[in-house]
């Protein structure tokens, strides 16, 4: 498992942008994209998205391991 310190700035930006868009990008009036601070999302969907994004970047352990 990689750590956040091993990622490039671009990789970190990609992760943050993905989570930010998932949580706050929404369709506004007329079908245009907007940033919506009040967008609702089920907690399980947020968790699944975060796990998926972390997995794409090798940040999920493959088996139990020491945390240190």
């Amino acid at each position: 498992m990689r750590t956040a310190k091993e990622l490039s700035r671009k990789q970190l930006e990609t992760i943050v942008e993905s989570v930010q868009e998932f949580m706050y990008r929404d369709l506004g009036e007329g079908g245009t994209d907007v940033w919506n601070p009040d967008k609702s999302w089920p907690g399980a969907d947020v968790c699944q998205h975060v796990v998926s994004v972390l997995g794409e970047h090798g940040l999920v352990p493959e088996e139990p391991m020491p945390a240190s």
Side-chain angles (χ1 to χ4, degrees):
M1 176 179 83
R2 297 167 70 188
T3 65
K5 291 179 182 180
E6 297 174 75
L7 299 177
S8 69
R9 179 181 175 101
K10 180 63 179 163
Q11 290 170 314
L12 292 170
E13 288 174 359
T14 298
I15 291 169
V16 172
E17 287 171 358
S18 177
V19 172
Q20 188 178 39
E21 285 189 17
F22 178 82
M23 295 182 73
Y24 298 109
R25 195 171 189 166
D26 208 354
L27 287 178
E29 293 181 26
T32 59
D33 285 336
V34 297
W35 293 108
N36 180 2
D38 297 322
K39 179 181 175 185
S40 63
W41 19 259
D45 290 349
V46 172
C47 292
Q48 184 58 46
H49 182 75
V50 170
V51 167
S52 175
V53 171
L54 292 177
E56 290 172 14
H57 293 276
L59 297 167
V60 176
E62 295 178 15
E63 59 186 44
M65 56 189 280
S68 57

